[in-house]
Amino acid sequence: PRGRFCWRHLLVELGSRYQVVALDLPGYGASEKPPGKESYQLESLAQVICQVIEQLRAPPGNQQPGTGAKGTPRGCCLVGHDWGGLLAWEVASRSPNLVEKLVVMDAPLRGVMPGFLCCHPSQLLRSSYVFLFQLPWLPELLLSLADFELVRSVLLSPWLGVQNPERRLTEEEVEVYLYSLSQPGGLSPPIHYYRNLFRDTPIPRDPPPAPTLLRWGSHDAFLDPRLVPVLRRRLRPAARCHLLPGASHWLPEDQPQALAHILTDFLEGGH
Protein backbone atom coordinates (compact mmCIF):
# COMPACT_ATOMS: atom_id res chain seq x y z
CA PRO A 1 0.00 0.00 0.00
CA ARG A 2 1.18 3.51 -0.66
CA GLY A 3 -1.22 5.73 1.27
CA ARG A 4 -3.86 8.11 0.01
CA PHE A 5 -1.71 9.36 -2.87
CA CYS A 6 -2.45 6.19 -4.83
CA TRP A 7 -6.15 7.23 -5.01
CA ARG A 8 -5.44 10.59 -6.67
CA HIS A 9 -6.76 9.57 -10.10
CA LEU A 10 -9.97 8.04 -8.75
CA LEU A 11 -10.57 11.06 -6.52
CA VAL A 12 -10.64 13.18 -9.66
CA GLU A 13 -12.85 10.71 -11.54
CA LEU A 14 -15.40 10.28 -8.72
CA GLY A 15 -15.10 13.51 -6.73
CA SER A 16 -17.57 15.49 -8.84
CA ARG A 17 -20.39 12.99 -8.17
CA TYR A 18 -19.72 11.65 -4.69
CA GLN A 19 -18.29 12.65 -1.35
CA VAL A 20 -14.97 10.82 -1.54
CA VAL A 21 -12.42 10.50 1.27
CA ALA A 22 -9.00 8.87 0.91
CA LEU A 23 -7.02 7.95 4.02
CA ASP A 24 -3.42 7.38 4.92
CA LEU A 25 -3.54 4.20 6.99
CA PRO A 26 -1.79 4.45 10.39
CA GLY A 27 1.95 4.58 9.81
CA TYR A 28 1.67 5.82 6.22
CA GLY A 29 2.04 9.27 4.72
CA ALA A 30 0.87 12.06 7.01
CA SER A 31 -0.89 9.77 9.49
CA GLU A 32 0.28 9.16 13.04
CA LYS A 33 3.05 6.59 13.39
CA PRO A 34 2.79 5.00 16.82
CA PRO A 35 5.98 3.19 17.86
CA GLY A 36 6.14 -0.57 18.20
CA LYS A 37 4.66 -3.23 16.00
CA GLU A 38 1.79 -3.92 18.43
CA SER A 39 0.05 -0.78 17.14
CA TYR A 40 -0.23 -2.33 13.67
CA GLN A 41 -2.15 -5.51 14.43
CA LEU A 42 -5.21 -6.02 12.24
CA GLU A 43 -7.70 -5.72 15.09
CA SER A 44 -6.28 -2.36 16.16
CA LEU A 45 -6.12 -1.06 12.61
CA ALA A 46 -9.68 -2.15 11.85
CA GLN A 47 -10.85 -0.34 14.97
CA VAL A 48 -9.21 2.85 13.71
CA ILE A 49 -11.03 2.55 10.37
CA CYS A 50 -14.35 2.05 12.17
CA GLN A 51 -13.74 5.17 14.25
CA VAL A 52 -12.96 7.21 11.12
CA ILE A 53 -16.17 6.04 9.42
CA GLU A 54 -18.19 6.93 12.53
CA GLN A 55 -16.70 10.40 12.59
CA LEU A 56 -17.27 10.98 8.89
CA ARG A 57 -20.93 10.05 9.03
CA ALA A 58 -21.59 12.14 12.17
CA PRO A 59 -23.57 15.27 11.20
CA PRO A 60 -21.87 18.66 11.71
CA GLY A 61 -23.52 20.93 14.25
CA ASN A 62 -27.28 20.46 14.41
CA GLN A 63 -27.71 19.01 10.96
CA GLN A 64 -29.58 15.75 10.66
CA PRO A 65 -27.56 12.79 9.40
CA GLY A 66 -28.40 11.03 6.19
CA THR A 67 -30.43 7.99 7.14
CA GLY A 68 -31.43 4.68 5.69
CA ALA A 69 -34.86 3.12 5.50
CA LYS A 70 -34.97 2.38 9.24
CA GLY A 71 -33.81 5.83 10.33
CA THR A 72 -30.25 4.78 11.11
CA PRO A 73 -27.24 6.69 9.72
CA ARG A 74 -26.23 5.45 6.32
CA GLY A 75 -23.12 3.38 5.98
CA CYS A 76 -20.37 4.21 3.52
CA CYS A 77 -19.16 2.52 0.39
CA LEU A 78 -15.85 1.22 1.69
CA VAL A 79 -13.13 0.78 -0.95
CA GLY A 80 -9.81 -0.83 -0.09
CA HIS A 81 -6.72 -2.01 -1.95
CA ASP A 82 -3.97 -4.36 -0.75
CA TRP A 83 -3.62 -3.81 3.02
CA GLY A 84 -6.54 -1.40 2.83
CA GLY A 85 -8.54 -4.18 1.19
CA LEU A 86 -7.62 -6.64 3.92
CA LEU A 87 -8.85 -4.12 6.48
CA ALA A 88 -11.99 -3.43 4.43
CA TRP A 89 -12.92 -7.14 4.58
CA GLU A 90 -12.45 -7.04 8.35
CA VAL A 91 -14.45 -3.84 8.92
CA ALA A 92 -17.36 -4.94 6.73
CA SER A 93 -17.56 -8.30 8.51
CA ARG A 94 -17.23 -7.08 12.09
CA SER A 95 -19.22 -3.81 11.76
CA PRO A 96 -21.76 -4.34 8.97
CA ASN A 97 -23.82 -1.35 10.10
CA LEU A 98 -21.00 0.94 8.97
CA VAL A 99 -20.64 -0.42 5.43
CA GLU A 100 -23.42 -0.08 2.87
CA LYS A 101 -21.34 -1.42 -0.01
CA LEU A 102 -17.88 -2.98 -0.14
CA VAL A 103 -15.25 -2.81 -2.88
CA VAL A 104 -11.97 -4.71 -2.49
CA MET A 105 -9.05 -4.71 -4.90
CA ASP A 106 -6.24 -7.28 -4.86
CA ALA A 107 -6.62 -8.33 -1.22
CA PRO A 108 -7.58 -11.76 0.15
CA LEU A 109 -9.85 -12.56 3.05
CA ARG A 110 -8.08 -13.51 6.26
CA GLY A 111 -7.61 -17.24 6.59
CA VAL A 112 -7.65 -17.94 2.83
CA MET A 113 -3.92 -17.84 2.20
CA PRO A 114 -2.75 -20.97 4.13
CA GLY A 115 -4.97 -23.29 2.12
CA PHE A 116 -4.18 -21.49 -1.12
CA LEU A 117 -0.44 -21.80 -0.51
CA CYS A 118 -0.77 -25.56 -0.07
CA CYS A 119 -2.39 -25.85 -3.50
CA HIS A 120 -0.34 -23.13 -5.21
CA PRO A 121 3.19 -23.06 -3.75
CA SER A 122 4.25 -20.55 -6.42
CA GLN A 123 2.51 -17.94 -4.28
CA LEU A 124 5.37 -18.38 -1.81
CA LEU A 125 7.72 -16.87 -4.40
CA ARG A 126 5.36 -13.98 -5.00
CA SER A 127 5.21 -13.38 -1.24
CA SER A 128 8.86 -14.02 -0.42
CA TYR A 129 9.36 -10.43 0.76
CA VAL A 130 6.92 -11.13 3.59
CA PHE A 131 9.39 -13.53 5.16
CA LEU A 132 12.23 -11.02 4.86
CA PHE A 133 10.07 -8.47 6.65
CA GLN A 134 9.83 -10.70 9.73
CA LEU A 135 13.46 -9.90 10.58
CA PRO A 136 14.35 -6.98 12.86
CA TRP A 137 16.10 -3.87 11.43
CA LEU A 138 17.52 -5.65 8.33
CA PRO A 139 14.53 -4.89 6.04
CA GLU A 140 14.72 -1.21 6.97
CA LEU A 141 18.43 -1.18 6.16
CA LEU A 142 18.04 -2.93 2.80
CA LEU A 143 15.14 -0.77 1.66
CA SER A 144 16.88 2.48 2.59
CA LEU A 145 20.19 1.72 0.88
CA ALA A 146 21.28 4.04 -1.95
CA ASP A 147 18.44 6.48 -1.33
CA PHE A 148 15.73 3.77 -1.42
CA GLU A 149 16.90 2.41 -4.75
CA LEU A 150 15.24 -0.98 -4.17
CA VAL A 151 11.86 0.63 -3.51
CA ARG A 152 12.32 2.91 -6.50
CA SER A 153 13.14 -0.02 -8.80
CA VAL A 154 10.01 -1.93 -7.70
CA LEU A 155 7.73 1.06 -8.26
CA LEU A 156 9.17 1.69 -11.72
CA SER A 157 9.52 -1.95 -12.76
CA PRO A 158 7.60 -2.92 -15.93
CA TRP A 159 6.77 -6.25 -14.29
CA LEU A 160 6.25 -5.38 -10.61
CA GLY A 161 4.95 -1.86 -11.09
CA VAL A 162 2.05 -0.33 -12.99
CA GLN A 163 1.44 -2.18 -16.26
CA ASN A 164 -0.53 0.45 -18.14
CA PRO A 165 2.05 2.34 -20.26
CA GLU A 166 -0.03 5.52 -20.02
CA ARG A 167 -0.12 5.38 -16.22
CA ARG A 168 3.38 4.30 -15.23
CA LEU A 169 4.76 6.33 -12.39
CA THR A 170 6.87 9.35 -13.13
CA GLU A 171 10.02 10.14 -11.18
CA GLU A 172 8.10 12.94 -9.42
CA GLU A 173 5.36 10.54 -8.30
CA VAL A 174 7.93 8.06 -7.01
CA GLU A 175 9.53 10.86 -5.00
CA VAL A 176 6.19 11.52 -3.31
CA TYR A 177 6.11 7.93 -2.07
CA LEU A 178 9.75 7.94 -1.01
CA TYR A 179 9.40 11.20 0.88
CA SER A 180 7.16 9.75 3.60
CA LEU A 181 9.34 6.63 3.89
CA SER A 182 12.46 8.76 4.25
CA GLN A 183 11.14 10.76 7.20
CA PRO A 184 12.34 9.80 10.71
CA GLY A 185 10.41 6.69 11.73
CA GLY A 186 8.71 6.50 8.35
CA LEU A 187 9.95 3.10 7.19
CA SER A 188 9.28 0.76 10.12
CA PRO A 189 5.48 1.20 10.41
CA PRO A 190 4.69 -0.16 6.91
CA ILE A 191 6.93 -3.14 7.63
CA HIS A 192 5.23 -3.71 10.99
CA TYR A 193 2.03 -4.55 9.10
CA TYR A 194 3.83 -7.62 7.73
CA ARG A 195 5.54 -8.43 11.03
CA ASN A 196 2.11 -8.95 12.57
CA LEU A 197 0.85 -11.27 9.83
CA PHE A 198 1.87 -14.43 11.67
CA ARG A 199 0.87 -13.08 15.08
CA ASP A 200 -2.71 -12.23 14.16
CA THR A 201 -4.99 -15.22 14.55
CA PRO A 202 -7.85 -14.93 12.04
CA ILE A 203 -11.20 -14.76 13.79
CA PRO A 204 -13.79 -16.82 11.90
CA ARG A 205 -16.44 -14.45 10.54
CA ASP A 206 -19.34 -14.75 8.16
CA PRO A 207 -18.84 -13.22 4.72
CA PRO A 208 -19.52 -9.47 4.66
CA PRO A 209 -23.29 -8.92 4.33
CA ALA A 210 -22.85 -5.74 2.29
CA PRO A 211 -23.08 -5.99 -1.51
CA THR A 212 -19.50 -6.81 -2.48
CA LEU A 213 -17.39 -6.11 -5.54
CA LEU A 214 -13.98 -7.75 -5.87
CA ARG A 215 -11.61 -6.60 -8.61
CA TRP A 216 -8.21 -8.13 -9.30
CA GLY A 217 -5.48 -7.35 -11.80
CA SER A 218 -4.88 -10.27 -14.14
CA HIS A 219 -1.13 -9.42 -14.09
CA ASP A 220 -0.81 -9.02 -10.33
CA ALA A 221 2.82 -9.94 -9.60
CA PHE A 222 2.32 -10.26 -5.83
CA LEU A 223 -1.02 -12.02 -5.34
CA ASP A 224 -1.93 -14.86 -7.70
CA PRO A 225 -5.09 -14.06 -9.70
CA ARG A 226 -6.19 -17.64 -9.05
CA LEU A 227 -7.20 -16.37 -5.62
CA VAL A 228 -10.30 -14.84 -7.22
CA PRO A 229 -12.30 -18.09 -7.67
CA VAL A 230 -11.19 -19.19 -4.19
CA LEU A 231 -12.55 -15.98 -2.71
CA ARG A 232 -15.72 -16.20 -4.77
CA ARG A 233 -16.55 -19.50 -3.06
CA ARG A 234 -16.14 -17.83 0.36
CA LEU A 235 -18.45 -14.90 -0.38
CA ARG A 236 -22.19 -14.58 -0.67
CA PRO A 237 -23.69 -15.65 -4.02
CA ALA A 238 -24.49 -12.08 -5.07
CA ALA A 239 -20.87 -10.92 -4.76
CA ARG A 240 -19.31 -9.76 -8.03
CA CYS A 241 -15.75 -10.99 -8.55
CA HIS A 242 -13.81 -10.16 -11.69
CA LEU A 243 -10.31 -9.93 -13.13
CA LEU A 244 -9.30 -6.71 -14.85
CA PRO A 245 -7.43 -7.86 -18.00
CA GLY A 246 -3.87 -6.62 -18.37
CA ALA A 247 -3.87 -4.78 -15.05
CA SER A 248 -1.17 -4.96 -12.39
CA HIS A 249 -1.44 -5.20 -8.63
CA TRP A 250 -1.69 -1.40 -8.42
CA LEU A 251 -5.25 -1.10 -9.73
CA PRO A 252 -6.10 2.41 -8.45
CA GLU A 253 -3.23 3.81 -10.52
CA ASP A 254 -3.19 1.29 -13.34
CA GLN A 255 -6.80 1.53 -14.53
CA PRO A 256 -8.47 4.53 -12.84
CA GLN A 257 -10.92 5.36 -15.62
CA ALA A 258 -12.10 1.77 -15.99
CA LEU A 259 -12.41 1.48 -12.22
CA ALA A 260 -14.36 4.73 -11.99
CA HIS A 261 -16.87 3.37 -14.50
CA ILE A 262 -17.11 0.05 -12.63
CA LEU A 263 -17.50 1.76 -9.26
CA THR A 264 -20.16 4.14 -10.54
CA ASP A 265 -22.14 1.23 -11.97
CA PHE A 266 -21.80 -0.65 -8.67
CA LEU A 267 -22.82 2.35 -6.56
CA GLU A 268 -25.86 3.22 -8.64
CA GLY A 269 -26.89 -0.18 -9.88
CA GLY A 270 -27.78 -1.91 -6.62
CA HIS A 271 -26.19 -5.29 -5.95
Side-chain angles (χ1 to χ4, degrees):
R2 298 185 240 162
R4 61 183 174 177
F5 186 66
C6 77
W7 299 103
R8 62 197 179 281
H9 302 307
L10 277 172
L11 290 176
V12 173
E13 295 285 344
L14 299 173
S16 61
R17 304 186 63 176
Y18 306 101
Q19 180 184 8
V20 187
V21 178
L23 305 178
D24 282 328
L25 292 177
Y28 281 88
S31 70
E32 293 183 355
K33 299 172 177 59
K37 62 183 178 182
E38 294 77 13
S39 300
Y40 302 95
Q41 295 180 2
L42 282 176
E43 292 294 321
S44 299
L45 295 168
Q47 187 175 5
V48 170
I49 302 301
C50 289
Q51 291 170 351
V52 171
I53 295 173
E54 291 277 18
Q55 291 176 5
L56 288 173
R57 72 175 187 165
N62 295 322
Q63 296 181 17
Q64 294 297 315
T67 58
K70 297 182 180 180
T72 56
R74 286 179 181 152
C76 68
C77 174
L78 185 59
V79 182
H81 169 258
D82 195 87
W83 270 106
L86 197 65
L87 289 167
W89 287 124
E90 186 70 14
V91 169
S93 295
R94 65 183 282 176
S95 302
N97 61 306
L98 298 180
V99 180
E100 193 168 317
K101 292 190 175 184
L102 174 66
V103 180
V104 175
M105 306 177 195
D106 295 86
L109 279 162
R110 295 177 72 182
V112 165
M113 290 302 290
F116 185 81
L117 288 169
C118 291
C119 298
H120 303 90
S122 61
Q123 178 60 50
L124 288 170
L125 295 176
R126 295 174 184 256
S127 304
S128 57
Y129 60 94
V130 174
F131 302 100
L132 171 65
F133 287 170
Q134 304 310 306
L135 300 175
W137 66 263
L138 182 59
E140 284 90 337
L141 174 63
L142 293 175
L143 292 179
S144 63
L145 286 175
D147 192 24
F148 295 88
E149 181 58 31
L150 181 58
V151 180
R152 189 187 309 273
S153 64
V154 170
L155 296 180
L156 294 174
S157 167
W159 179 60
L160 299 175
V162 173
Q163 297 288 309
N164 186 346
E166 298 179 0
R167 293 290 184 178
R168 286 183 181 150
L169 297 182
T170 65
E171 290 287 348
E172 291 78 12
E173 289 171 325
V174 171
E175 289 300 325
V176 173
Y177 289 124
L178 295 184
Y179 176 78
S180 62
L181 295 177
S182 66
Q183 299 307 296
L187 190 51
S188 289
I191 297 175
H192 286 332
Y193 278 66
Y194 295 94
R195 287 176 172 143
N196 283 312
L197 267 179
F198 302 113
R199 300 181 60 189
D200 284 312
T201 302
I203 299 174
R205 299 189 191 279
D206 292 331
T212 300
L213 173 66
L214 175 67
R215 301 297 292 191
W216 211 282
S218 66
H219 290 178
D220 190 325
F222 301 98
L223 292 166
D224 195 319
R226 288 176 292 182
L227 278 160
V228 172
V230 175
L231 291 168
R232 188 194 303 272
R233 292 193 292 270
R234 296 285 295 269
L235 299 175
R236 299 182 188 277
R240 295 160 57 178
C241 308
H242 303 287
L243 288 173
L244 203 57
S248 69
H249 176 76
W250 313 107
L251 282 184
E253 292 170 289
D254 200 314
Q255 303 285 342
Q257 291 180 325
L259 281 175
H261 178 77
I262 292 165
L263 289 174
T264 299
D265 178 70
F266 182 61
L267 289 171
E268 299 182 357
H271 296 198

